[in-house]
Amino acid sequence: MRHHTGVGRSGWVLLALLSLWIGFAAPVLAADKRVIPLSNLRDGQPEVTLHGETETVALRAVLPPVVGLTSVVLALTYENGIDILPEKGSMSVYINGSPVADLPLSAFKGPVNASITLPASLMRPGENQIVFQTNAQHRAICTVRGTYDLWARVNLAASSLTLVSDGGVPQPDLAMMRHLLVAADRAREPLAILHPGSEIDADHLGWGAMVAQSYGLLLGDQTPQVTAVPAQSAAKPGTSGAPSLETLPLPGGKNVLIGTRDRIAPLLGEARAAAITGPFLAVYPLPAPGGGAFVAVASGRTQQEVDLAVMRLADVSRPLPTQSAMIVTDAGPPAPLPHPPVQAEGRYRLSELGFQTVQHSGYRYAGRFTLTLPTGFAPVSDRSILFHVNAAFEGNLGPGAVLNVRVNGKSAGAIEVDKRSSGVIDNGEMPLPMAMFRPGPNVIEVEAELPPAGGTDCVFAVRRPTFTLLDSSSIEIPGFARLVTLPSLGGFANTAYPYGGLAGGEPAAPFDLVVVGREPAWFGAAWSLTARLAQRAGDLMAVVPYTGWDGAPDDNALIVGPVAALPQAVFASSPLPADRLAGLLEAGALIAQASARGEPMAAADRRALVDRLRLGWSGTPRPGVVRPGAMPSSFGIAGTAQAADNGAQNRWQRMAGEAKDSASGSGGWVPDWARRVMAAAARYINHWTVEDAPVDVVALTENADQLPEAALLQYRAPGTDPLTWTLLTASDPRSIDRAMRSLGEAGLWDKLRGGGALWSSAAPAVTTLEASHPYQIILNPFDIGNLILILARNLSQRIELLFALLLGTAVVLTISMRLLLKHGHQERSGP
């Protein structure tokens, strides 16, 4: 009995030790749990609102790779209007095309929380689609007016997707790295581009621009945020141990380290550095809460090998292998991505534009489709794009049934439905003014209003009117001029012209990316802007990088830097003088900084700040502002462009030229002298047909509550060539960081217009400057028909010139006829 008791005590001791061991091992073996807020899936406000009787909204969710996915839960928080009839209201949820829930829309009593358990097999690593579709009916007003009271709103910030896996996070490899870059669990984290040392040279600027562009293309429509981070260890001086990737203070879990082997070897360690025997790509995991953090490495023994590694990393058209490291043997210029279809002159069925026949039962239908016009789309004012409608209205319709069409949010036309025609629209022609369209995507909204014949109790309104829009309807685009009028931040934001995209059937020429300033914030802003333009261009753009200022760029240029460090040559043709722009941005930065601290500046202080600004503009010199011939001390060594080696710029120019030549096999048949002649003719025509619009700087200070802290200006470069400079500037690094975040998060990018945009993170609104000193670029200069359309367009915009031309023509004809008649009379009369 004692022996049995002794054995029992030993068993209890072993059991206690086993339990203790399991307790220590539990964190390692615990299931991996990822909670992804749905607000990570889109920019702008963290909510989705669905209006009317039926509407559909889709969200793109890129899920990170996990091992052994066991549980998926979609948690939704939503609310809806009080006027929805409970028996007729519901919100359906679809995951990758499969219905997963049908949630009720009842009388509003507060937010509704719903938890939907999904089959693990329904979700997949990579891209997934979540679709919300509402169906609602008014409880008391069965009319068109009643449909405006129907709405449902999903709170994306309070809704989430939870993934639980029993295998944890897999070790990253190159094949899954692109999914990790855009995974929804880290969507709000910026991409950190690491550079060894404290300064960024021209090579790192160019390499970072290529990686940032590929990141923007992978993100789709979401705003890319890129930061520059010096790769310096957090270890204190004098402590043992070399710095390593695992000890770097990084802002997030998405990191890319770029550099030659000799420069990054201290960070990699001897074993990793020894593997770099050529163009090298690798990805290494990093310790971080939640897992999934990584650093990708693009390296080589020389700058040329790093070029090849970065080009292979940025080539999103080719997958990477399923291995953690590789020597690149298949590098080359990235292949051009397939461009979305662009509609030029001709007639297009809606089915060709991605629209399918729809049949709607209710009182108001709202649908949309997109028409993408070329970069050089320049409408002639007296022409229209024709919308040929094939549709049908059915049911007991009352008077006032109408089909409305809006273009880019503005009313463009309408067709009234005559009851005597049985509600059938067969090839109904609706002219849409060409002036309402713009280069790039145009959203055409179709709204049908179906009023019932008489008042009916909504509960018994079983037979509701029906509207059918057939995809055999078509859009007919007449001829338009191939002409671009610059500056145009709207075209810049919509099509990336003149830095990217297709213009006149050819890819855009390489452009110069110039960063002035030593702080990493300016390089991050330049990379973020370049990534955004690559999204709108739909492809990688050819970039020639410069750090500092060494004379005027030879091509179109993006210039980024602090306003006080920019040389006066940058502002030679700017719409705003350097000193006034500097004072404006400095004042705006003070106001925004106070708001960021939670201590908004008093109205009296803001007004006093504005008064001091105007006093300084009256002629009193302000200290610290760049004057002609002066160079600030923070600019760098003599203001020269810093390069990684003597041939860096030539190498980047050569690569940009090769990228352009490989993307375009045509367009080189026009001799340079002919292009120069046409450019001179375009300048002459531009001088007489385009009006200048000088900027009233004082008017920018009328509202002291919204002084800007950042500016994006576009203007013609000095000289005879029609080159474009686009300047992104602020007063200090913190201001540019805040401004770039607000540019994406507040949706200000789509509000860019004219020749300049001024904005502040303290007040998410854009102040638009009209295009000052506009100029025109003829895309097809040897097309006679295009030249005639350009002349007709310009004359239609300048009525006084058209009247003078007609008057001159009449005078010339009158004098000619008089001379001919006089000469004929003299011949008949004899000597």
Side-chain angles (χ1 to χ4, degrees):
M1 188 69 171
R2 288 192 299 269
H3 177 72
H4 179 72
T5 304
V7 173
R9 290 174 179 174
S10 302
W12 281 111
V13 171
L14 290 175
L15 185 60
L17 291 174
L18 181 62
S19 301
L20 187 63
W21 178 82
I22 292 177
F24 282 117
V28 179
L29 300 178
D32 177 67
K33 183 178 181 180
R34 307 280 184 98
V35 179
I36 303 173
L38 297 192
S39 56
N40 282 8
L41 307 184
R42 63 183 297 172
D43 293 334
Q45 296 295 324
E47 60 185 26
V48 165
T49 304
L50 300 97
H51 301 277
E53 296 169 303
T54 61
E55 189 170 1
T56 301
V57 172
L59 300 177
R60 172 178 176 259
V62 179
L63 301 186
V66 293
V67 177
L69 187 62
T70 58
S71 172
V72 181
V73 177
L74 177 62
L76 297 177
T77 298
Y78 69 96
E79 55 186 352
N80 55 264
I82 195 173
D83 299 303
I84 294 178
L85 185 64
E87 295 83 359
K88 300 287 185 177
S90 65
M91 181 170 66
S92 302
V93 183
Y94 300 85
I95 303 291
N96 295 327
S98 300
V100 296
D102 199 21
L103 305 175
L105 299 180
S106 57
F108 178 76
K109 297 179 182 178
V112 178
N113 297 315
S115 180
I116 308 168
T117 301
L118 307 175
S121 59
L122 192 60
M123 309 301 294
R124 52 178 180 259
E127 187 168 338
N128 296 263
Q129 191 177 58
I130 303 175
V131 175
F132 302 104
Q133 185 180 64
T134 55
N135 291 276
Q137 183 175 323
H138 204 285
R139 64 170 58 242
I141 306 175
C142 287
T143 62
V144 174
R145 184 175 63 84
T147 62
Y148 290 92
D149 298 329
L150 305 176
W151 58 268
R153 182 181 299 117
V154 181
N155 186 344
L156 298 180
S159 303
S160 62
L161 187 66
T162 302
L163 310 176
V164 178
S165 61
D166 57 8
V169 182
Q171 289 292 315
D173 59 28
L174 292 171
M176 72 173 66
M177 183 181 60
R178 288 170 179 162
H179 283 165
L180 292 173
L181 279 171
V182 297
D185 59 333
R186 295 189 179 275
R188 296 298 181 185
E189 294 181 4
L191 171 66
I193 297 181
L194 315 180
H195 57 93
S198 58
E199 293 188 0
I200 300 178
D201 58 25
D203 274 334
H204 280 85
L205 175 60
W207 293 331
M210 293 185 67
V211 172
Q213 289 184 73
S214 66
Y215 178 60
L217 293 173
L218 292 172
L219 277 177
D221 292 332
Q222 287 189 280
T223 301
Q225 293 186 15
V226 187
T227 61
V229 178
Q232 297 174 336
S233 176
K236 297 181 179 179
T239 58
S240 61
S244 65
L245 294 177
E246 289 74 17
T247 61
L248 292 177
L250 301 176
K254 302 184 295 190
N255 309 278
V256 179
L257 174 64
I258 310 174
T260 57
R261 180 181 64 184
D262 294 341
R263 296 199 65 186
I264 67 174
L267 297 172
L268 296 180
E270 293 183 3
R272 290 172 176 172
I276 304 177
T277 58
F280 180 77
L281 288 179
V283 58
Y284 303 112
L286 291 177
F294 69 95
V295 57
V297 176
S299 184
R301 295 166 296 183
T302 63
Q303 284 91 349
Q304 289 77 9
E305 289 186 351
V306 181
D307 293 340
L308 297 177
V310 171
M311 282 193 290
R312 185 65 180 90
L313 178 63
D315 190 354
V316 297
S317 63
R318 290 191 292 167
L320 292 167
T322 55
Q323 56 194 64
S324 60
M326 65 177 288
I327 298 295
V328 177
T329 58
D330 58 345
L337 297 176
H339 290 274
V342 176
Q343 288 78 45
E345 292 93 343
R347 188 164 177 169
Y348 302 88
R349 294 165 62 100
L350 296 193
S351 57
E352 300 176 63
L353 304 178
F355 183 87
Q356 297 180 349
T357 297
V358 64
Q359 186 174 18
H360 168 78
S361 177
Y363 303 105
R364 181 169 63 99
Y365 162 76
R368 64 178 60 189
F369 57 91
T370 302
L371 184 70
T372 304
L373 296 173
T375 299
F377 171 78
V380 181
S381 60
D382 60 345
R383 293 194 174 189
S384 299
I385 291 179
L386 298 179
F387 184 21
H388 299 276
V389 183
N390 294 326
F393 293 77
E394 303 173 9
N396 192 13
L397 291 178
V402 66
L403 180 66
N404 298 307
V405 175
R406 288 193 296 270
V407 176
N408 296 324
K410 298 181 180 179
S411 179
I415 293 180
E416 187 175 359
V417 181
D418 188 357
K419 183 63 177 176
R420 292 172 296 179
S421 65
S422 300
V424 176
I425 303 176
D426 185 14
N427 199 29
E429 191 173 282
M430 183 186 302
L432 309 175
M434 287 188 76
M436 301 186 71
F437 292 82
R438 63 195 181 200
N442 295 265
V443 178
I444 301 177
E445 298 172 281
V446 179
E447 183 180 77
E449 297 183 0
L450 310 169
T456 307
D457 189 344
C458 287
V459 178
F460 302 100
V462 179
R463 174 65 173 166
R464 298 194 294 172
T466 301
F467 170 72
T468 303
L469 179 61
L470 302 175
D471 59 11
S472 60
S473 303
S474 60
I475 290 286
E476 184 178 356
I477 306 174
F480 52 84
R482 260 66 173 192
L483 178 75
V484 178
T485 301
L486 296 171
S488 174
L489 286 182
F492 170 85
N494 216 28
T495 65
Y497 187 83
Y499 304 97
L502 294 175
E506 299 179 18
F511 68 92
D512 294 338
L513 180 62
V514 183
V515 176
V516 179
R518 299 288 183 100
E519 294 85 356
W522 304 108
F523 293 89
W527 288 333
S528 298
L529 184 60
T530 308
R532 188 63 163 170
L533 290 178
Q535 284 183 328
R536 295 307 168 100
D539 205 347
L540 296 175
M541 302 176 297
V543 175
V544 180
Y546 293 89
T547 55
W549 184 269
D550 191 21
D554 297 327
D555 298 307
N556 297 316
L558 281 177
I559 305 170
V560 180
V563 65
L566 294 169
Q568 192 69 19
V570 173
F571 298 94
S573 55
S574 168
L576 290 175
D579 56 346
R580 299 197 175 189
L581 178 62
L584 198 64
L585 297 183
E586 289 169 7
L590 291 175
I591 296 175
Q593 213 166 17
S595 297
R597 293 195 306 265
E599 303 171 354
M601 189 178 294
D605 295 336
R606 293 196 299 269
R607 178 51 56 187
L609 195 60
V610 169
D611 292 339
R612 287 198 299 272
L613 270 181
R614 293 183 176 179
L615 180 63
W617 292 346
S618 64
T620 306
R622 296 174 59 253
V625 177
V626 178
R627 295 297 178 192
M631 197 66 64
S633 59
S634 62
F635 178 71
I637 303 174
T640 57
Q642 305 296 313
D645 62 280
N646 293 332
Q649 303 307 324
N650 293 331
R651 193 176 83 254
W652 282 99
Q653 290 167 354
R654 184 179 66 255
M655 287 192 296
E658 291 174 354
K660 179 186 176 184
D661 294 339
S662 64
S664 174
S666 61
W669 62 272
V670 181
D672 290 338
W673 65 266
R675 293 184 183 274
R676 288 195 294 269
V677 169
M678 293 307 301
R683 288 196 300 271
Y684 182 78
I685 295 174
N686 182 79
H687 176 73
W688 290 102
T689 58
V690 179
E691 293 181 339
D692 288 350
V695 177
D696 185 0
V697 185
V698 177
L700 299 177
T701 62
E702 292 296 335
N703 187 355
D705 295 333
Q706 295 184 2
L707 292 183
E709 64 175 327
L712 183 66
L713 306 177
Q714 189 174 90
Y715 47 92
R716 180 171 181 165
T720 58
D721 294 331
L723 298 178
T724 303
W725 288 357
T726 303
L727 171 65
L728 174 64
T729 185
S731 62
D732 58 80
R734 287 180 296 180
S735 294
I736 197 65
D737 276 338
R738 291 192 301 264
M740 292 306 293
R741 284 196 300 270
S742 65
L743 189 64
E745 295 173 0
L748 302 183
W749 180 265
D750 294 325
K751 299 178 182 178
L752 297 178
R753 297 288 185 273
L758 307 173
W759 76 97
S760 171
S761 59
V766 172
T767 300
T768 298
L769 304 181
E770 293 298 325
S772 179
H773 309 298
Y775 55 100
Q776 295 179 340
I777 297 177
I778 301 175
L779 297 183
N780 294 346
F782 299 96
D783 184 346
I784 302 300
N786 183 42
L787 296 179
I788 294 174
L789 286 172
I790 291 173
L791 183 61
R793 180 179 187 271
N794 285 333
L795 290 178
S796 66
Q797 293 177 344
R798 297 291 300 273
I799 301 300
E800 70 279 7
L801 289 180
L802 179 60
F803 178 75
L805 181 62
L806 293 176
L807 182 60
T809 302
V811 171
V812 170
L813 288 176
T814 301
I815 295 174
S816 300
M817 290 298 297
R818 183 175 179 82
L819 293 175
L820 288 174
L821 290 174
K822 183 177 181 180
H823 181 70
H825 178 71
Q826 290 176 351
E827 288 183 347
R828 289 194 300 271
S829 300

